[in-house]
Amino acid sequence: MRAEEPAALQYQRALDEFRREGREPPLLKRMSELISLLDLTTTLSTGLSSQEILDAALLIVLGELQTSRGCLFVRVEGKGFVVRASRGLPTGARTEAPLSDMDLDGIVTRPGGSQADVLESFGLELLCPIHKRGRLIAVLGVGARARGESYSDEDRGFLRSVAACAATPIENGLIHRELERVNKRLSVKVFQLNNLFDISRELTTSFDEGAIHSLVTATLMGQLMASRCALYLRQPSGFVLAHARGFRTEEDVVSHEDARPLVEALTAPLPLEEVPSCVLRERLAASRIALVVPLGLSGRVDGLLAVGERVSGGAYTEEDRDFAMTLARQAQAALENVRLHRVQVEKQRQDREMQIAREIQESLFPKTFPKVAGFEVSAESHACYQVGGDHFDVIPLGEGRLAVAIADVSGKGAPASLLMASVHAWLRALAGSESPARLILRLNRFLFESTQENRYVTLFYGELDGPSRTLSYVNAGHIPPYWTSPLGPKGRLTEGGPVLGLLEDACFEEGRVVLDAGDCVAMVTDGVTESESVSGEEFGDDRVLSALRGATPTAAGAVAAILTAVEEWMASDKATDDLTILALKAL
C-alpha cells in the first residue's frame, strides 16, 4: 500500500484487486460497504440539487451491489409513489408505483409477495422500504446482479443501512419540495390579492356599469389566461348577456326557465361539465366555456361569469376558482353600489322637485288676510308629505266683501298638489263673478273634463257680505263647517251638492246664513276629524266643538285651539293626512 494515500482509498484498491482474482474476504466486503455508505452520506449532504443528489446516491448503491438497474420511488402527496431517480429501467416503464405502508414492512424480493406487480413491471429483484418516524416515505428498488448472484443477508443489511442513511435527507427533500409548493401557492395568492386590491379600488370608484363589466371580464381573462369571457346579468326578461370578450352567440337573452337548472346548482365556481343540462349550458358549451362563476350576494344568483378554456389547455386550479369567486363578489358589490348610487341620485332629484313643489304650494296660500269691517280670518295648513292636497284661500272681492274656500283633493303628494293648484287658479280667476252656486257648477264641469276618473275634490266655498253680515255658500261634499256662538253650537253648513269632478251633471244648491256678533265659522279638512289616537279612535266632530268652546274669542284662537287638541290626540307626531283649519270670526 502507498502510505501517502488515504486509508479508504487504499482499502478500495485492495478490494478491487481481490475481486479481480475472484475472491472477496468478508472483512474487505464490509469495508467496501462502509466506504459506499460514507460516499452515500457525503453525497446526500452536498449542496447539489435534490435531483442530482438522488441520482448520485442511486449510482453509489448500484455500484456497491454490482447491478445496472435500480430506481428510487418517493412519496408524493396526492399521487402515491413516483419514480424520482432511475437507472436501466425497461423501456416504457411507469412513473408511478402502487405501494403502501401495509404491504411494505420489510425488504421484498421475488418471487411472490404483494408487490410482485411492481417488481415485474419495473424489472426489479428487490424492494427496500425507507421509513421515517414510522411512515413510509420512499422505496429503493434494485435489479438482478450483473453476475447472476443472489442477494445475501449482508447485501440486505447494506440496504437497510442505506435506508437509514437516506431517510432523513429524503424527508428533508420532501419537506423542501412541500415548502416550495406552498411558497409557490402563496406567491400566486399574494399576486392575486394584489390584483384584487387594485381592481377593488377601481371598482369602488366607478359608477359606470359598462366600465365595471369590461374591467371584470378583462381582469379575469388576464389572470386566468383564458381565451374568452362573458358576463350574464339577471333581468326581468331573463339572463341578459351584458358584456363579452372573444365570445360569440346569436342569443343575447336566456329565459329564467332555460337557465334555472344551472342557476340552482351554481353556489360556487363549477367546471362546465359539472353543470346540469339546460339551454344555457348548451349555449355555453357551444362557445367553449370551461368555468362558470356565480355573481350575487346573500346566496342569490344575480348573474354569472362564463370563462373560456385556458390558452395553455390546462384545467383551472383551486386558486383560480377562488380568485374568480372573489372577483365576482367584488363585481356584484360594485354593481350594487352603482344601483344604490342611481337610486340616491334619483331620490335627490325627486326631493328637490318636491321641495320646489312645496315652495310653490306655500306661495299659493295667502300670506295676509284681507280686512272686512267687523270680521277677522285665520288659517293654518300642515301637509303630511312635502306637498299635499289640502287648500284654503281668502280672496278679497271689494266693497266689504270677501270669499273663503277650503278644499281637500283626493290623494296625497305631488299629483294632489297639482290638482289643488288648478282649483286655486280657477277660484282666484272667477271668485265673485257670479253666484256661488253657478261658480261651483262651472268648476265641477271643468274638473270633470280635465281630471282622471278617480280624481275628485271636496270644497266649501263661501262669499261674505260684510255690511249685511251674510255668508252665501256652497258645500261640495266637504266636511260641513261648524257654526258656533259664545253660547254654543248653532249648526252645520251643509247646503250644496256632491264632490267635484266625478259627476258631469251635478247640481248645487246655495246656502245663506247671517252671522251675529261673536259667531264663528270653523272649516276643517278630514285630517282633523279623522286623526286617530293610540287606540285607533278618531278625533271626531264633538272634540272639534269642544275645542271651539274653550278657544279665545278670536279667529286665530279658534284655529289654535283645534290644532292643539288634534296634536294632543294623535298617536304620533307624524300626521297620516293633510290637516287644514280656516276660521271666520264675527267680532
Side-chain angles (χ1 to χ4, degrees):
M1 295 185 183
R2 301 176 183 176
E4 65 277 8
E5 291 182 340
L9 184 56
Q10 295 175 19
Y11 281 119
Q12 186 64 49
R13 289 181 180 279
L15 182 60
D16 292 342
E17 184 177 346
F18 272 96
R19 284 175 174 170
R20 284 194 294 273
E21 297 175 359
R23 53 198 179 92
E24 189 172 349
L27 181 59
L28 291 179
K29 176 176 174 54
R30 186 59 179 163
M31 183 60 70
S32 173
E33 292 176 351
L34 292 174
I35 293 172
S36 296
L37 289 173
L38 178 60
D39 289 344
L40 176 65
T41 303
T42 303
T43 301
L44 292 174
S45 61
T46 60
L48 298 174
S49 68
S50 176
Q51 188 59 51
E52 290 175 332
I53 291 174
L54 295 179
D55 290 338
L58 181 62
L59 286 176
I60 292 172
V61 173
L62 297 183
E64 176 59 34
L65 296 178
Q66 301 180 35
T67 178
S68 60
R69 177 175 295 176
C71 64
L72 181 65
F73 303 100
V74 178
R75 182 190 291 272
V76 175
E77 295 298 332
K79 293 185 178 180
F81 287 85
V82 177
V83 176
R84 285 299 187 197
S86 63
R87 189 81 172 182
L89 294 184
T91 303
R94 297 176 297 177
T95 58
E96 298 179 9
L99 300 168
S100 66
D101 296 349
M102 293 181 61
D103 297 336
L104 207 60
D105 294 332
I107 293 178
V108 175
T109 60
R110 346 166 164 233
S114 60
Q115 306 300 334
D117 177 61
V118 176
L119 293 167
E120 183 68 29
S121 59
F122 286 92
L124 302 175
E125 186 74 19
L126 183 146
L127 294 176
C128 177
I130 301 175
H131 290 88
K132 185 66 177 178
R133 307 180 196 278
R135 178 173 177 260
L136 183 66
I137 62 172
V139 177
L140 175 63
V142 293
R145 307 187 82 159
R147 292 181 293 189
E149 298 175 357
S150 300
Y151 288 104
S152 63
D153 292 339
E154 288 79 5
D155 295 327
R156 290 184 176 82
F158 171 71
L159 286 174
R160 282 190 284 271
S161 298
V162 169
C165 293
T168 298
I170 290 177
E171 183 187 45
N172 291 340
L174 292 174
I175 294 174
H176 179 70
R177 278 193 293 273
E178 179 63 19
L179 288 175
E180 286 183 335
R181 187 181 69 84
V182 172
N183 286 335
K184 183 178 179 180
R185 292 186 63 181
L186 287 176
S187 297
V188 171
K189 283 288 187 183
V190 170
F191 178 71
Q192 291 179 344
L193 288 174
N194 287 332
N195 276 350
L196 289 171
F197 179 73
D198 294 338
I199 295 300
S200 177
R201 287 188 299 181
E202 295 187 48
L203 290 176
T204 53
T205 56
S206 175
F207 294 105
D208 183 349
E209 284 185 330
I212 293 174
H213 298 164
S214 178
L215 179 61
V216 170
T217 54
T219 301
L220 202 54
M221 290 178 66
Q223 179 66 36
L224 304 186
M225 301 299 291
S227 56
R228 56 188 59 82
C229 185
L231 171 63
Y232 283 89
L233 293 178
R234 182 192 290 269
Q235 300 293 344
S237 59
F239 282 83
V240 178
L241 182 62
H243 191 80
R245 290 176 178 266
F247 184 88
R248 293 183 179 180
T249 178
E250 297 180 356
E251 301 289 341
D252 292 337
V253 181
V254 180
S255 69
H256 291 294
E257 185 60 28
D258 289 341
R260 183 178 55 79
L262 184 151
V263 172
E264 290 178 351
L266 200 60
T267 58
L270 286 178
L272 190 64
E273 57 267 19
E274 298 181 17
V275 173
S277 178
C278 62
V279 174
L280 180 55
R281 183 194 183 283
E282 300 310 316
R283 291 182 184 176
L284 296 179
S287 300
R288 296 168 58 193
I289 293 299
L291 184 68
V292 185
V293 185
L295 196 71
L297 299 173
S298 302
R300 171 183 166 89
V301 178
D302 292 319
L304 58 93
L305 285 163
V307 189
E309 300 167 346
R310 304 193 80 156
V311 176
S312 63
Y316 288 108
T317 64
E318 182 181 351
E319 289 80 8
D320 296 331
R321 292 193 291 270
D322 289 345
F323 176 85
M325 191 67 203
T326 304
L327 180 61
R329 291 194 182 102
Q330 288 188 343
Q332 182 60 26
L335 292 174
E336 182 66 12
N337 286 339
V338 172
R339 186 189 69 81
L340 294 176
H341 176 72
R342 189 184 300 116
V343 170
Q344 182 181 20
V345 170
E346 177 63 19
K347 184 178 183 302
Q348 290 174 348
R349 183 189 66 79
Q350 293 178 353
D351 289 346
R352 179 55 184 159
E353 291 180 353
M354 294 298 286
Q355 179 62 30
I356 294 173
R358 177 63 178 169
E359 293 172 358
I360 294 174
Q361 185 181 47
E362 289 180 348
S363 70
L364 300 180
F365 293 134
K367 300 296 185 295
T368 60
F369 301 114
K371 302 294 185 180
V372 173
F375 292 89
E376 65 178 7
V377 180
S378 181
E380 279 203 42
S381 183
H382 295 241
C384 64
Y385 298 126
Q386 285 189 325
V387 293
D390 280 8
H391 170 63
F392 76 88
D393 203 356
V394 182
I395 306 168
L397 301 179
E399 299 179 355
R401 299 169 61 237
L402 60 79
V404 292
I406 185 169
D408 188 356
V409 177
S410 63
K412 301 177 182 66
S417 174
L418 293 174
L419 184 53
M420 182 271 284
S422 298
V423 173
H424 167 83
W426 210 94
L427 289 176
R428 278 275 169 172
L430 298 178
S433 62
E434 50 190 323
S435 68
R438 289 186 58 81
L439 185 147
I440 297 304
L441 183 65
R442 293 178 60 185
L443 177 57
N444 177 68
R445 290 174 181 171
F446 166 75
L447 292 176
F448 180 84
E449 294 173 356
S450 61
T451 60
Q452 300 175 3
E453 293 181 357
N454 62 341
R455 292 289 181 184
Y456 62 89
V457 178
T458 69
L459 171 69
F460 177 87
Y461 175 79
E463 292 183 0
L464 173 67
D465 181 71
S468 66
R469 307 178 73 87
T470 301
L471 177 66
S472 301
Y473 70 90
V474 173
N475 188 339
H478 197 77
I479 296 175
Y482 305 89
W483 180 21
T484 65
S485 72
L487 299 178
K490 297 180 72 172
R492 306 286 293 275
L493 307 186
T494 60
E495 296 295 329
V499 297
L500 305 179
L502 289 183
L503 302 174
E504 182 179 10
D505 298 325
C507 295
F508 298 91
E509 296 181 3
E510 185 175 310
R512 188 174 283 107
V513 295
V514 176
L515 302 179
D516 298 324
D519 285 359
C520 177
V521 177
M523 296 156 269
V524 300
T525 59
D526 58 6
V528 173
T529 58
E530 295 178 3
S531 295
E532 293 184 351
S533 65
V534 176
S535 61
E537 184 181 357
E538 292 187 352
F539 189 72
D541 296 326
D542 292 341
R543 291 182 177 83
V544 175
L545 293 171
S546 176
L548 289 172
R549 281 196 297 271
T552 58
T554 63
V559 171
I562 296 174
L563 184 61
T564 300
V566 171
E567 290 176 345
E568 292 175 352
W569 176 258
M570 284 191 302
S572 65
D573 294 335
K574 176 112 177 122
T576 58
D577 197 359
D578 304 328
L579 183 152
T580 302
I581 307 169
L582 173 63
L584 173 64
K585 181 76 174 180
L587 301 177

